[in-house]
PDB file of all heavy atoms in Angstrom:
ATOM      1  N   TYR A  95       0.867  -1.207  -0.005  1.00  0.00           N
ATOM      2  CA  TYR A  95      -0.020  -0.013  -0.023  1.00  0.00           C
ATOM      3  C   TYR A  95       0.891   1.273  -0.023  1.00  0.00           C
ATOM      4  O   TYR A  95       1.925   1.286   0.679  1.00  0.00           O
ATOM      5  CB  TYR A  95      -0.887  -0.048   1.238  1.00  0.00           C
ATOM      6  CG  TYR A  95      -1.831   1.208   1.363  1.00  0.00           C
ATOM      7  CD1 TYR A  95      -3.012   1.184   0.709  1.00  0.00           C
ATOM      8  CD2 TYR A  95      -1.451   2.268   2.175  1.00  0.00           C
ATOM      9  CE1 TYR A  95      -3.850   2.299   0.821  1.00  0.00           C
ATOM     10  CE2 TYR A  95      -2.287   3.369   2.317  1.00  0.00           C
ATOM     11  CZ  TYR A  95      -3.506   3.373   1.614  1.00  0.00           C
ATOM     12  OH  TYR A  95      -4.352   4.471   1.718  1.00  0.00           O
ATOM     13  N   PRO A  96       0.558   2.239  -0.778  1.00  0.00           N
ATOM     14  CA  PRO A  96      -0.641   2.455  -1.582  1.00  0.00           C
ATOM     15  C   PRO A  96      -0.299   2.283  -3.131  1.00  0.00           C
ATOM     16  O   PRO A  96      -0.659   3.179  -3.923  1.00  0.00           O
ATOM     17  CB  PRO A  96      -1.052   3.932  -1.287  1.00  0.00           C
ATOM     18  CG  PRO A  96       0.334   4.607  -1.151  1.00  0.00           C
ATOM     19  CD  PRO A  96       1.264   3.558  -0.576  1.00  0.00           C
ATOM     20  N   GLY A  97       0.374   1.248  -3.454  1.00  0.00           N
ATOM     21  CA  GLY A  97       0.682   0.986  -4.839  1.00  0.00           C
ATOM     22  C   GLY A  97      -0.594   0.835  -5.748  1.00  0.00           C
ATOM     23  O   GLY A  97      -1.639   0.426  -5.268  1.00  0.00           O
ATOM     24  N   ARG A  98      -0.437   1.072  -6.991  1.00  0.00           N
ATOM     25  CA  ARG A  98      -1.622   1.011  -7.924  1.00  0.00           C
ATOM     26  C   ARG A  98      -2.107  -0.435  -8.069  1.00  0.00           C
ATOM     27  O   ARG A  98      -3.231  -0.580  -8.520  1.00  0.00           O
ATOM     28  CB  ARG A  98      -1.197   1.566  -9.271  1.00  0.00           C
ATOM     29  CG  ARG A  98      -0.142   0.775  -9.995  1.00  0.00           C
ATOM     30  CD  ARG A  98       0.030   1.195 -11.466  1.00  0.00           C
ATOM     31  NE  ARG A  98       1.145   0.645 -12.074  1.00  0.00           N
ATOM     32  CZ  ARG A  98       1.258  -0.576 -12.600  1.00  0.00           C
ATOM     33  NH1 ARG A  98       0.215  -1.412 -12.532  1.00  0.00           N
ATOM     34  NH2 ARG A  98       2.403  -1.020 -13.186  1.00  0.00           N
ATOM     35  N   GLY A  99      -1.278  -1.418  -7.768  1.00  0.00           N
ATOM     36  CA  GLY A  99      -1.675  -2.817  -8.005  1.00  0.00           C
ATOM     37  C   GLY A  99      -1.235  -3.169  -9.442  1.00  0.00           C
ATOM     38  O   GLY A  99      -0.731  -2.328 -10.194  1.00  0.00           O
ATOM     39  N   TYR A 100      -1.423  -4.458  -9.782  1.00  0.00           N
ATOM     40  CA  TYR A 100      -0.944  -4.958 -11.051  1.00  0.00           C
ATOM     41  C   TYR A 100      -2.021  -5.599 -11.859  1.00  0.00           C
ATOM     42  O   TYR A 100      -2.871  -6.361 -11.309  1.00  0.00           O
ATOM     43  CB  TYR A 100       0.199  -5.979 -10.746  1.00  0.00           C
ATOM     44  CG  TYR A 100       1.366  -5.407  -9.903  1.00  0.00           C
ATOM     45  CD1 TYR A 100       1.420  -5.623  -8.548  1.00  0.00           C
ATOM     46  CD2 TYR A 100       2.289  -4.596 -10.543  1.00  0.00           C
ATOM     47  CE1 TYR A 100       2.398  -5.081  -7.770  1.00  0.00           C
ATOM     48  CE2 TYR A 100       3.302  -4.007  -9.741  1.00  0.00           C
ATOM     49  CZ  TYR A 100       3.391  -4.285  -8.401  1.00  0.00           C
ATOM     50  OH  TYR A 100       4.363  -3.693  -7.662  1.00  0.00           O
ATOM     51  N   LEU A 101      -2.014  -5.302 -13.118  1.00  0.00           N
ATOM     52  CA  LEU A 101      -3.042  -5.859 -14.013  1.00  0.00           C
ATOM     53  C   LEU A 101      -2.895  -7.379 -14.074  1.00  0.00           C
ATOM     54  O   LEU A 101      -1.782  -7.908 -13.952  1.00  0.00           O
ATOM     55  CB  LEU A 101      -2.816  -5.302 -15.435  1.00  0.00           C
ATOM     56  CG  LEU A 101      -3.057  -3.764 -15.584  1.00  0.00           C
ATOM     57  CD1 LEU A 101      -2.554  -3.324 -16.960  1.00  0.00           C
ATOM     58  CD2 LEU A 101      -4.540  -3.445 -15.416  1.00  0.00           C
ATOM     59  N   GLN A 102      -4.042  -8.055 -14.175  1.00  0.00           N
ATOM     60  CA  GLN A 102      -4.116  -9.515 -14.075  1.00  0.00           C
ATOM     61  C   GLN A 102      -4.596 -10.197 -15.332  1.00  0.00           C
ATOM     62  O   GLN A 102      -5.190 -11.297 -15.275  1.00  0.00           O
ATOM     63  CB  GLN A 102      -5.028  -9.947 -12.884  1.00  0.00           C
ATOM     64  CG  GLN A 102      -4.619  -9.265 -11.567  1.00  0.00           C
ATOM     65  CD  GLN A 102      -3.302  -9.806 -11.048  1.00  0.00           C
ATOM     66  OE1 GLN A 102      -3.048 -11.019 -10.975  1.00  0.00           O
ATOM     67  NE2 GLN A 102      -2.407  -8.923 -10.555  1.00  0.00           N
ATOM     68  N   ALA A 103      -4.261  -9.595 -16.486  1.00  0.00           N
ATOM     69  CA  ALA A 103      -4.834 -10.030 -17.739  1.00  0.00           C
ATOM     70  C   ALA A 103      -3.849 -10.724 -18.667  1.00  0.00           C
ATOM     71  O   ALA A 103      -3.839 -10.486 -19.855  1.00  0.00           O
ATOM     72  CB  ALA A 103      -5.477  -8.860 -18.441  1.00  0.00           C
ATOM     73  N   TYR A 104      -2.952 -11.542 -18.126  1.00  0.00           N
ATOM     74  CA  TYR A 104      -1.792 -12.002 -18.895  1.00  0.00           C
ATOM     75  C   TYR A 104      -1.754 -13.513 -19.145  1.00  0.00           C
ATOM     76  O   TYR A 104      -0.754 -14.041 -19.693  1.00  0.00           O
ATOM     77  CB  TYR A 104      -0.523 -11.498 -18.265  1.00  0.00           C
ATOM     78  CG  TYR A 104      -0.400  -9.996 -18.342  1.00  0.00           C
ATOM     79  CD1 TYR A 104      -1.104  -9.178 -17.471  1.00  0.00           C
ATOM     80  CD2 TYR A 104       0.259  -9.384 -19.430  1.00  0.00           C
ATOM     81  CE1 TYR A 104      -1.028  -7.778 -17.623  1.00  0.00           C
ATOM     82  CE2 TYR A 104       0.295  -8.020 -19.566  1.00  0.00           C
ATOM     83  CZ  TYR A 104      -0.341  -7.225 -18.642  1.00  0.00           C
ATOM     84  OH  TYR A 104      -0.321  -5.841 -18.827  1.00  0.00           O
ATOM     85  N   ASN A 105      -2.739 -14.326 -18.691  1.00  0.00           N
ATOM     86  CA  ASN A 105      -2.697 -15.704 -19.058  1.00  0.00           C
ATOM     87  C   ASN A 105      -3.252 -15.782 -20.503  1.00  0.00           C
ATOM     88  O   ASN A 105      -3.806 -14.832 -21.007  1.00  0.00           O
ATOM     89  CB  ASN A 105      -3.390 -16.625 -18.086  1.00  0.00           C
ATOM     90  CG  ASN A 105      -4.924 -16.525 -18.125  1.00  0.00           C
ATOM     91  OD1 ASN A 105      -5.531 -16.104 -19.073  1.00  0.00           O
ATOM     92  ND2 ASN A 105      -5.554 -16.883 -16.974  1.00  0.00           N
ATOM     93  N   ASP A 106      -3.041 -16.924 -21.148  1.00  0.00           N
ATOM     94  CA  ASP A 106      -3.317 -17.054 -22.558  1.00  0.00           C
ATOM     95  C   ASP A 106      -4.898 -16.852 -22.819  1.00  0.00           C
ATOM     96  O   ASP A 106      -5.226 -16.276 -23.819  1.00  0.00           O
ATOM     97  CB  ASP A 106      -2.925 -18.492 -23.052  1.00  0.00           C
ATOM     98  CG  ASP A 106      -1.434 -18.651 -23.140  1.00  0.00           C
ATOM     99  OD1 ASP A 106      -0.710 -17.627 -23.096  1.00  0.00           O
ATOM    100  OD2 ASP A 106      -0.999 -19.848 -23.173  1.00  0.00           O
ATOM    101  N   ASN A 107      -5.680 -17.328 -21.877  1.00  0.00           N
ATOM    102  CA  ASN A 107      -7.092 -17.131 -22.074  1.00  0.00           C
ATOM    103  C   ASN A 107      -7.526 -15.690 -22.077  1.00  0.00           C
ATOM    104  O   ASN A 107      -8.403 -15.218 -22.822  1.00  0.00           O
ATOM    105  CB  ASN A 107      -7.883 -17.908 -20.990  1.00  0.00           C
ATOM    106  CG  ASN A 107      -7.757 -19.437 -21.087  1.00  0.00           C
ATOM    107  OD1 ASN A 107      -7.508 -19.942 -22.161  1.00  0.00           O
ATOM    108  ND2 ASN A 107      -7.931 -20.110 -19.985  1.00  0.00           N
ATOM    109  N   ALA A 108      -6.920 -14.934 -21.133  1.00  0.00           N
ATOM    110  CA  ALA A 108      -7.200 -13.462 -21.076  1.00  0.00           C
ATOM    111  C   ALA A 108      -6.806 -12.777 -22.336  1.00  0.00           C
ATOM    112  O   ALA A 108      -7.580 -11.942 -22.892  1.00  0.00           O
ATOM    113  CB  ALA A 108      -6.517 -12.904 -19.832  1.00  0.00           C
ATOM    114  N   ILE A 109      -5.582 -13.071 -22.823  1.00  0.00           N
ATOM    115  CA  ILE A 109      -5.073 -12.378 -23.958  1.00  0.00           C
ATOM    116  C   ILE A 109      -5.947 -12.762 -25.220  1.00  0.00           C
ATOM    117  O   ILE A 109      -6.298 -11.854 -26.022  1.00  0.00           O
ATOM    118  CB  ILE A 109      -3.609 -12.832 -24.248  1.00  0.00           C
ATOM    119  CG1 ILE A 109      -2.748 -12.193 -23.119  1.00  0.00           C
ATOM    120  CG2 ILE A 109      -3.150 -12.261 -25.653  1.00  0.00           C
ATOM    121  CD1 ILE A 109      -1.294 -12.710 -23.172  1.00  0.00           C
ATOM    122  N   ALA A 110      -6.338 -14.032 -25.331  1.00  0.00           N
ATOM    123  CA  ALA A 110      -7.208 -14.386 -26.452  1.00  0.00           C
ATOM    124  C   ALA A 110      -8.563 -13.718 -26.367  1.00  0.00           C
ATOM    125  O   ALA A 110      -9.127 -13.262 -27.400  1.00  0.00           O
ATOM    126  CB  ALA A 110      -7.405 -15.942 -26.424  1.00  0.00           C
ATOM    127  N   ASP A 111      -9.105 -13.527 -25.159  1.00  0.00           N
ATOM    128  CA  ASP A 111     -10.366 -12.844 -24.959  1.00  0.00           C
ATOM    129  C   ASP A 111     -10.252 -11.344 -25.407  1.00  0.00           C
ATOM    130  O   ASP A 111     -11.171 -10.846 -26.031  1.00  0.00           O
ATOM    131  CB  ASP A 111     -10.878 -12.889 -23.534  1.00  0.00           C
ATOM    132  CG  ASP A 111     -12.251 -12.432 -23.317  1.00  0.00           C
ATOM    133  OD1 ASP A 111     -13.139 -12.774 -24.085  1.00  0.00           O
ATOM    134  OD2 ASP A 111     -12.403 -11.614 -22.385  1.00  0.00           O
ATOM    135  N   PHE A 112      -9.153 -10.706 -25.013  1.00  0.00           N
ATOM    136  CA  PHE A 112      -8.970  -9.343 -25.384  1.00  0.00           C
ATOM    137  C   PHE A 112      -8.828  -9.193 -26.924  1.00  0.00           C
ATOM    138  O   PHE A 112      -9.411  -8.317 -27.569  1.00  0.00           O
ATOM    139  CB  PHE A 112      -7.668  -8.788 -24.761  1.00  0.00           C
ATOM    140  CG  PHE A 112      -7.381  -7.325 -25.039  1.00  0.00           C
ATOM    141  CD1 PHE A 112      -8.401  -6.377 -24.985  1.00  0.00           C
ATOM    142  CD2 PHE A 112      -6.097  -6.905 -25.446  1.00  0.00           C
ATOM    143  CE1 PHE A 112      -8.186  -5.001 -25.248  1.00  0.00           C
ATOM    144  CE2 PHE A 112      -5.844  -5.598 -25.695  1.00  0.00           C
ATOM    145  CZ  PHE A 112      -6.883  -4.661 -25.609  1.00  0.00           C
ATOM    146  N   GLN A 113      -8.163 -10.131 -27.608  1.00  0.00           N
ATOM    147  CA  GLN A 113      -8.049 -10.121 -29.060  1.00  0.00           C
ATOM    148  C   GLN A 113      -9.401 -10.241 -29.652  1.00  0.00           C
ATOM    149  O   GLN A 113      -9.749  -9.543 -30.670  1.00  0.00           O
ATOM    150  CB  GLN A 113      -7.080 -11.192 -29.526  1.00  0.00           C
ATOM    151  CG  GLN A 113      -5.660 -10.882 -29.103  1.00  0.00           C
ATOM    152  CD  GLN A 113      -4.684 -12.122 -29.330  1.00  0.00           C
ATOM    153  OE1 GLN A 113      -5.174 -13.176 -29.617  1.00  0.00           O
ATOM    154  NE2 GLN A 113      -3.427 -11.866 -29.207  1.00  0.00           N
ATOM    155  N   THR A 114     -10.256 -11.155 -29.180  1.00  0.00           N
ATOM    156  CA  THR A 114     -11.562 -11.349 -29.693  1.00  0.00           C
ATOM    157  C   THR A 114     -12.427 -10.129 -29.528  1.00  0.00           C
ATOM    158  O   THR A 114     -13.179  -9.715 -30.413  1.00  0.00           O
ATOM    159  CB  THR A 114     -12.203 -12.540 -29.022  1.00  0.00           C
ATOM    160  OG1 THR A 114     -11.483 -13.734 -29.274  1.00  0.00           O
ATOM    161  CG2 THR A 114     -13.650 -12.758 -29.490  1.00  0.00           C
ATOM    162  N   TYR A 115     -12.269  -9.518 -28.411  1.00  0.00           N
ATOM    163  CA  TYR A 115     -13.075  -8.253 -28.074  1.00  0.00           C
ATOM    164  C   TYR A 115     -12.754  -7.157 -29.059  1.00  0.00           C
ATOM    165  O   TYR A 115     -13.622  -6.528 -29.619  1.00  0.00           O
ATOM    166  CB  TYR A 115     -12.775  -7.826 -26.644  1.00  0.00           C
ATOM    167  CG  TYR A 115     -13.310  -6.511 -26.215  1.00  0.00           C
ATOM    168  CD1 TYR A 115     -14.650  -6.392 -25.743  1.00  0.00           C
ATOM    169  CD2 TYR A 115     -12.578  -5.298 -26.342  1.00  0.00           C
ATOM    170  CE1 TYR A 115     -15.168  -5.213 -25.358  1.00  0.00           C
ATOM    171  CE2 TYR A 115     -13.114  -4.088 -25.993  1.00  0.00           C
ATOM    172  CZ  TYR A 115     -14.415  -4.032 -25.476  1.00  0.00           C
ATOM    173  OH  TYR A 115     -14.920  -2.825 -25.097  1.00  0.00           O
ATOM    174  N   VAL A 116     -11.448  -6.982 -29.335  1.00  0.00           N
ATOM    175  CA  VAL A 116     -11.039  -5.927 -30.234  1.00  0.00           C
ATOM    176  C   VAL A 116     -11.482  -6.229 -31.669  1.00  0.00           C
ATOM    177  O   VAL A 116     -11.911  -5.336 -32.400  1.00  0.00           O
ATOM    178  CB  VAL A 116      -9.517  -5.716 -30.207  1.00  0.00           C
ATOM    179  CG1 VAL A 116      -9.020  -4.701 -31.201  1.00  0.00           C
ATOM    180  CG2 VAL A 116      -9.115  -5.282 -28.774  1.00  0.00           C
ATOM    181  N   GLN A 117     -11.403  -7.508 -32.065  1.00  0.00           N
ATOM    182  CA  GLN A 117     -11.759  -7.877 -33.382  1.00  0.00           C
ATOM    183  C   GLN A 117     -13.272  -7.675 -33.672  1.00  0.00           C
ATOM    184  O   GLN A 117     -13.693  -7.165 -34.706  1.00  0.00           O
ATOM    185  CB  GLN A 117     -11.331  -9.336 -33.696  1.00  0.00           C
ATOM    186  CG  GLN A 117     -11.508  -9.805 -35.106  1.00  0.00           C
ATOM    187  CD  GLN A 117     -10.814 -11.120 -35.376  1.00  0.00           C
ATOM    188  OE1 GLN A 117     -10.334 -11.726 -34.514  1.00  0.00           O
ATOM    189  NE2 GLN A 117     -10.816 -11.507 -36.635  1.00  0.00           N
ATOM    190  N   GLN A 118     -13.975  -7.993 -32.574  1.00  0.00           N
ATOM    191  CA  GLN A 118     -15.470  -7.805 -32.742  1.00  0.00           C
ATOM    192  C   GLN A 118     -15.835  -6.315 -32.798  1.00  0.00           C
ATOM    193  O   GLN A 118     -16.812  -5.962 -33.445  1.00  0.00           O
ATOM    194  CB  GLN A 118     -16.181  -8.529 -31.600  1.00  0.00           C
ATOM    195  CG  GLN A 118     -16.115 -10.032 -31.686  1.00  0.00           C
ATOM    196  CD  GLN A 118     -16.754 -10.712 -30.468  1.00  0.00           C
ATOM    197  OE1 GLN A 118     -17.003 -10.026 -29.414  1.00  0.00           O
ATOM    198  NE2 GLN A 118     -17.066 -12.027 -30.553  1.00  0.00           N
ATOM    199  N   LYS A 119     -15.087  -5.537 -32.030  1.00  0.00           N
ATOM    200  CA  LYS A 119     -15.360  -4.082 -32.063  1.00  0.00           C
ATOM    201  C   LYS A 119     -14.997  -3.405 -33.308  1.00  0.00           C
ATOM    202  O   LYS A 119     -15.769  -2.561 -33.875  1.00  0.00           O
ATOM    203  CB  LYS A 119     -14.675  -3.435 -30.823  1.00  0.00           C
ATOM    204  CG  LYS A 119     -14.926  -1.876 -30.778  1.00  0.00           C
ATOM    205  CD  LYS A 119     -14.393  -1.294 -29.475  1.00  0.00           C
ATOM    206  CE  LYS A 119     -14.693   0.200 -29.517  1.00  0.00           C
ATOM    207  NZ  LYS A 119     -14.306   0.814 -28.235  1.00  0.00           N
ATOM    208  N   TYR A 120     -13.871  -3.755 -33.833  1.00  0.00           N
ATOM    209  CA  TYR A 120     -13.287  -2.943 -35.009  1.00  0.00           C
ATOM    210  C   TYR A 120     -13.379  -3.693 -36.354  1.00  0.00           C
ATOM    211  O   TYR A 120     -13.197  -3.035 -37.403  1.00  0.00           O
ATOM    212  CB  TYR A 120     -11.827  -2.577 -34.716  1.00  0.00           C
ATOM    213  CG  TYR A 120     -11.677  -1.496 -33.643  1.00  0.00           C
ATOM    214  CD1 TYR A 120     -11.254  -1.814 -32.367  1.00  0.00           C
ATOM    215  CD2 TYR A 120     -12.017  -0.169 -33.913  1.00  0.00           C
ATOM    216  CE1 TYR A 120     -11.160  -0.842 -31.344  1.00  0.00           C
ATOM    217  CE2 TYR A 120     -11.926   0.794 -32.926  1.00  0.00           C
ATOM    218  CZ  TYR A 120     -11.463   0.465 -31.692  1.00  0.00           C
ATOM    219  OH  TYR A 120     -11.403   1.453 -30.706  1.00  0.00           O
ATOM    220  N   GLN A 121     -13.498  -5.002 -36.340  1.00  0.00           N
ATOM    221  CA  GLN A 121     -13.716  -5.818 -37.548  1.00  0.00           C
ATOM    222  C   GLN A 121     -12.471  -5.945 -38.367  1.00  0.00           C
ATOM    223  O   GLN A 121     -12.141  -7.096 -38.752  1.00  0.00           O
ATOM    224  CB  GLN A 121     -14.817  -5.227 -38.463  1.00  0.00           C
ATOM    225  CG  GLN A 121     -16.178  -5.112 -37.788  1.00  0.00           C
ATOM    226  CD  GLN A 121     -16.761  -6.515 -37.377  1.00  0.00           C
ATOM    227  OE1 GLN A 121     -16.706  -7.418 -38.152  1.00  0.00           O
ATOM    228  NE2 GLN A 121     -17.175  -6.610 -36.122  1.00  0.00           N
ATOM    229  N   THR A 122     -11.719  -4.916 -38.610  1.00  0.00           N
ATOM    230  CA  THR A 122     -10.509  -5.028 -39.395  1.00  0.00           C
ATOM    231  C   THR A 122      -9.278  -4.385 -38.707  1.00  0.00           C
ATOM    232  O   THR A 122      -9.482  -3.493 -37.824  1.00  0.00           O
ATOM    233  CB  THR A 122     -10.691  -4.339 -40.751  1.00  0.00           C
ATOM    234  OG1 THR A 122     -10.712  -2.851 -40.541  1.00  0.00           O
ATOM    235  CG2 THR A 122     -11.900  -4.821 -41.486  1.00  0.00           C
ATOM    236  N   LEU A 123      -8.103  -4.877 -39.023  1.00  0.00           N
ATOM    237  CA  LEU A 123      -6.945  -4.271 -38.459  1.00  0.00           C
ATOM    238  C   LEU A 123      -6.748  -2.841 -38.838  1.00  0.00           C
ATOM    239  O   LEU A 123      -6.168  -2.031 -38.098  1.00  0.00           O
ATOM    240  CB  LEU A 123      -5.678  -5.118 -38.797  1.00  0.00           C
ATOM    241  CG  LEU A 123      -5.390  -6.329 -38.028  1.00  0.00           C
ATOM    242  CD1 LEU A 123      -4.241  -7.196 -38.638  1.00  0.00           C
ATOM    243  CD2 LEU A 123      -5.028  -6.005 -36.555  1.00  0.00           C
TER     244      LEU A 123
END
């Protein structure tokens, strides 16, 4: 305390979910 804490989105399932989310939102690179 009082650190900001650490993001927890780095296992393979999380990264794949983020990629899917972005692809669905923007459709193209």
Side-chain angles (χ1 to χ4, degrees):
Y95 179 82
R98 63 168 171 83
Y100 302 101
L101 296 169
Q102 304 293 314
Y104 292 83
N105 74 23
D106 291 344
N107 292 336
I109 294 172
D111 187 48
F112 182 47
Q113 291 169 351
T114 299
Y115 173 86
V116 175
Q117 191 166 3
Q118 289 176 346
K119 178 172 182 176
Y120 289 105
Q121 301 297 312
T122 68
L123 278 172

